[in-house]
Amino acid sequence: DSRTRARSRARSRARLSDADALYLEGVARDTWRFFEQHVGEASHHLPPDNVQTAPHTLVAQRTSPTNIGLYLLSVVTARAFGWIDAAQMLSRCEATLDTLERLPRYRGHVLNWIDTQTLQALPPAYVSTVDSGNLCVHLLAVAVALEGKAAAVRGGGGVAPAAMPATSQTSPGALDDLPQQLARAAERCRDLAAAPEFGFLYDARRRLFHIGWRVGDGQANEQADGQAAGGGLGEGSLGG
């Protein structure tokens, strides 16, 4: 696992100057520090939409499907950089998946927005097509990362030195069961990614997705192509 990371970084540096590589790794590290600081029990292991730092710190206690997906992707990326071990990665992923499975939904979609303190949908209840799509693809990417880590641990690489933290899905001292725990977390990610229905958000006649769906009156927003709807992966919510 460490050799794989070293080869990956070597390839990246072949395309970047040392200064650029150092700068980008610093940005990545600062991004992870943001999540370390602001995601925990107080927020039900959900990331805030944004944090105001001036003139004083103010945390927006709301989140979106895009924010949640990006946080989970950041967790497995932090493991890839070596900033956390596999047990910590699993603990963080499981805690957030526990919350995800409790959130209010409409036809499988996590609603936009969610209060991170009460876990209730903020009115008006709304399904965002692009946010739901982002969460689904992020969950699939996280599942692949967890499965890869499970395979590496089974092969004797990347075994976490720390004791396994306890979560609702993980018992204390279960380090020997780490590959199975990782595989189960990956399966949960795939199940959550498969849950949303997208058919009602698609206008087959115009071959366009609706921007979203107003749950209260059962009405769709106007159609838009992927670009107009903010279709770039991860675009739009985090920090906005």
Side-chain angles (χ1 to χ4, degrees):
D1 186 60
S2 60
R3 290 193 298 271
T4 300
R5 290 201 304 271
R7 286 195 297 270
S8 177
R9 292 181 185 181
R11 286 194 296 270
S12 297
R13 288 195 176 95
R15 295 188 295 270
L16 294 170
S17 69
D18 288 344
D20 286 343
L22 186 62
Y23 168 76
L24 292 173
E25 288 193 16
V27 171
R29 190 70 180 92
D30 287 343
T31 301
W32 177 242
R33 288 192 183 101
F34 170 88
F35 288 122
E36 280 188 310
Q37 180 178 354
H38 295 292
V39 181
E41 290 185 11
S43 67
H44 292 92
H45 305 281
L46 298 177
D49 179 63
N50 63 80
V51 176
Q52 172 186 296
T53 58
H56 52 80
T57 299
L58 181 63
V59 179
Q61 299 291 354
R62 65 179 183 273
T63 197
S64 71
T66 293
N67 293 342
I68 298 168
L70 282 172
Y71 166 67
L72 286 170
L73 199 59
S74 295
V75 172
V76 297
T77 301
R79 174 66 195 107
F81 273 105
W83 300 328
I84 59 176
D85 62 37
Q88 292 169 320
M89 174 184 70
L90 175 63
S91 179
R92 280 186 171 270
C93 285
E94 284 187 326
T96 299
L97 292 174
D98 286 347
T99 301
L100 259 179
E101 291 168 347
R102 297 165 51 198
L103 294 181
R105 294 172 179 272
Y106 179 77
R107 299 178 74 166
H109 294 265
V110 175
L111 297 174
N112 223 57
W113 298 79
I114 297 293
D115 186 310
T116 58
Q117 296 181 315
T118 67
L119 299 186
Q120 297 301 306
L122 298 176
Y126 185 74
V127 172
S128 166
T129 304
V130 67
D131 278 275
S132 286
N134 284 346
L135 176 58
C136 288
V137 296
H138 288 148
L139 284 167
L140 292 174
V142 170
V144 171
L146 293 172
E147 290 161 351
K149 176 53 62 179
V153 173
R154 286 191 189 100
V159 178
M164 176 73 77
T167 72
S168 65
Q169 300 290 322
T170 307
S171 60
L175 186 56
D176 291 341
D177 196 36
L178 182 56
Q180 290 76 21
Q181 297 281 356
L182 290 164
R184 281 196 289 272
E187 183 177 359
R188 294 172 73 190
C189 287
R190 292 188 182 278
D191 288 344
L192 286 164
E197 303 173 35
F198 281 90
F200 74 100
L201 295 168
Y202 185 67
D203 186 327
R205 182 179 63 84
R206 299 181 65 182
R207 295 192 293 180
L208 292 172
F209 275 101
H210 298 293
I211 294 174
W213 187 269
R214 299 189 301 274
V215 175
D217 57 12
Q219 295 293 320
N221 283 56
E222 63 187 74
Q223 298 93 343
D225 60 28
Q227 188 66 32
L233 183 62
E235 180 179 344
S237 292
L238 191 64

